[in-house]
Amino acid sequence: MKIFVQRIKLIRVKTLLVSIIVAIFLWMYVKLGETYRYNLDIPMVPVNVQPGKTLKNELPQNIKILVEGKGSSLMGLLLFWKSDIKFFLDLSTIEYFWDCELNNYLNWIKLPPGYEKIVVKEITKPEFVTVELDKLLEKKVPLGSEKITVIPSAHYVQVGKIQFVPDSILIFGPASKISIIDRVVTEPLKYKNIKRPFEDYALIKKEYEDLFTYSLEGVDFKVDVQVLGERILETVDVVVTNIPAGYKVRVEPGTVNVKIRGGINFINSIDKSDITVEIPWKKEWKRLREYREKLIIRHPEDIISYDELPQIFTVIIG
């Protein structure tokens, strides 16, 4: 008896579920057969710009349109084809300037095949766009490395600047605005605890992408990282610079030892001739006097620090 009652209840539940499902399908069938209006955001794509010309001003990337059609067609369009709907702004006849009333060109909105019964009623936003064209120019610009951060491990150091291959790229854009770009940088990259030279690839950061195109998507680059070392350059000559005519000058001691620090391979390639040790002439100096002075040491920029021994020198004016 209990089993019979349970079967009756189960049959009733199944019947109820089937009834609900059928009702939902009938409701959807009726509703999807009705006509609806719907607002869509679609891309606006400029096309057919005359050879040798380009856009001078930025245009809206998207426009808002009002479409009308049966619910079933609108559902299919939104679910499967929305990304294929575009407004192609035809600039083939435009020389330099155009105030375009968009609703005059609804036929430039392309719907996917099979959805011709959907009607584009109007473009609701914007109603007008202003198009300005300019002469297309190209410009070669260098690559900047400021967006690439390299942090060597302790007791290591980066030697030299980041080297790009190639070290410049071409940009193409309107003649009146191409001067605003004088260099191009990469998308940000960060490297930590680096102990050896390495190579990698960086994407170009595309500024003003609506107005300019770039000859490359990205570039290869090299970074030299070396063990930090030090080396002593002995008996580097000390020179007094800008001595007026008629003066005799002697420095004691006449040479200095310079301890330099930097990447080990780099400092081992340094010669004494790469270091200049100077004491600039001072206009207040007088004949037959002695002056105690410090040095100015000029060195390659990849020497990260230095010490000189001794540090004070005697300048004797004859």
Side-chain angles (χ1 to χ4, degrees):
M1 185 68 178
K2 289 183 179 180
I3 295 174
F4 178 75
V5 171
Q6 289 176 349
R7 286 180 178 177
I8 294 296
K9 288 183 179 179
L10 182 60
I11 291 171
R12 287 177 178 175
V13 170
K14 288 182 178 180
T15 303
L16 179 61
L17 288 175
V18 170
S19 299
I20 291 172
I21 293 171
V22 170
I24 291 173
F25 274 107
L26 288 173
W27 177 82
M28 289 181 63
Y29 177 79
V30 172
K31 287 298 181 182
L32 291 176
E34 295 178 359
T35 299
Y36 296 90
R37 289 189 171 190
Y38 191 83
N39 286 300
L40 282 174
D41 285 327
I42 65 171
M44 182 169 68
V45 183
V47 295
N48 300 326
V49 179
Q50 295 183 16
K53 292 184 180 178
T54 188
L55 281 170
K56 180 180 177 181
N57 63 318
E58 295 186 22
L59 298 178
Q61 292 186 348
N62 295 288
I63 62 172
K64 190 180 291 291
I65 65 173
L66 179 66
V67 296
E68 182 179 87
K70 287 189 175 182
S72 56
S73 296
L74 290 174
M75 179 179 287
L77 185 70
L78 296 175
L79 288 177
F80 303 109
W81 298 99
K82 184 179 178 181
S83 62
D84 291 344
I85 309 171
K86 295 180 175 63
F87 177 78
F88 292 98
L89 184 65
D90 188 354
L91 303 179
S92 59
T93 62
I94 308 306
E95 291 291 332
Y96 289 103
F97 185 87
W98 183 30
D99 273 329
C100 175
E101 186 176 353
L102 296 181
N103 277 294
N104 291 337
Y105 304 95
L106 295 181
N107 59 309
W108 289 353
I109 297 174
K110 303 302 180 185
L111 298 177
Y115 289 88
E116 292 81 3
K117 290 184 178 181
I118 292 178
V119 179
V120 179
K121 302 299 290 185
E122 63 175 323
I123 297 172
T124 58
K125 186 177 181 181
E127 296 181 9
F128 293 86
V129 294
T130 298
V131 178
E132 296 180 67
L133 300 182
D134 198 354
K135 184 179 179 181
L136 176 65
L137 290 185
E138 70 175 56
K139 180 181 180 181
K140 189 176 183 179
V141 293
L143 285 158
S145 62
E146 50 264 41
K147 295 294 183 179
I148 301 177
T149 303
V150 178
I151 303 174
S153 295
H155 311 298
Y156 288 79
V157 64
Q158 179 181 332
V159 177
K161 296 180 180 179
I162 294 172
Q163 308 228 341
F164 291 104
V165 183
D167 62 0
S168 60
I169 69 169
L170 293 175
I171 59 171
F172 305 86
S176 58
K177 295 190 176 182
I178 202 165
S179 62
I180 65 176
I181 296 183
D182 57 7
R183 65 194 280 107
V184 171
V185 298
T186 65
E187 295 289 350
L189 291 171
K190 190 170 186 177
Y191 303 86
K192 294 182 178 180
N193 302 319
I194 305 301
K195 295 183 177 181
R196 59 180 60 85
F198 70 95
E199 300 179 9
D200 206 345
Y201 180 84
L203 292 173
I204 299 296
K205 183 175 178 60
K206 296 182 178 180
E207 302 281 358
Y208 311 102
E209 195 169 0
D210 289 342
L211 297 179
F212 296 96
T213 55
Y214 297 72
S215 62
L216 296 174
E217 290 294 321
V219 289
D220 297 312
F221 65 90
K222 302 176 182 179
V223 183
D224 188 7
V225 175
Q226 300 177 12
V227 175
L228 181 62
E230 64 180 32
R231 178 185 172 204
I232 296 177
L233 299 175
E234 297 181 340
T235 62
V236 180
D237 291 333
V238 179
V239 178
V240 178
T241 59
N242 302 318
I243 301 173
Y247 283 83
K248 293 182 178 180
V249 178
R250 188 172 80 255
V251 179
E252 291 186 356
T255 61
V256 62
N257 295 336
V258 182
K259 181 190 290 185
I260 58 175
R261 300 180 185 88
I264 190 68
N265 296 334
F266 172 73
I267 62 172
N268 284 337
S269 70
I270 292 294
D271 186 84
K272 288 196 294 184
S273 61
D274 298 314
I275 304 287
T276 302
V277 181
E278 302 176 353
I279 300 176
W281 176 269
K282 296 182 178 179
K283 62 181 180 180
E284 63 268 22
W285 286 352
K286 301 185 183 303
R287 293 182 186 275
L288 306 178
R289 297 284 186 90
E290 296 183 1
Y291 299 93
R292 305 270 288 172
E293 297 292 335
K294 291 186 176 182
L295 303 175
I296 294 176
I297 297 180
R298 306 187 191 279
H299 57 80
E301 63 177 317
D302 286 313
I303 292 176
I304 62 173
S305 65
Y306 65 87
D307 294 314
E308 69 272 23
L309 294 172
Q311 294 183 330
I312 302 296
F313 290 76
T314 301
V315 180
I316 304 168
I317 313 295

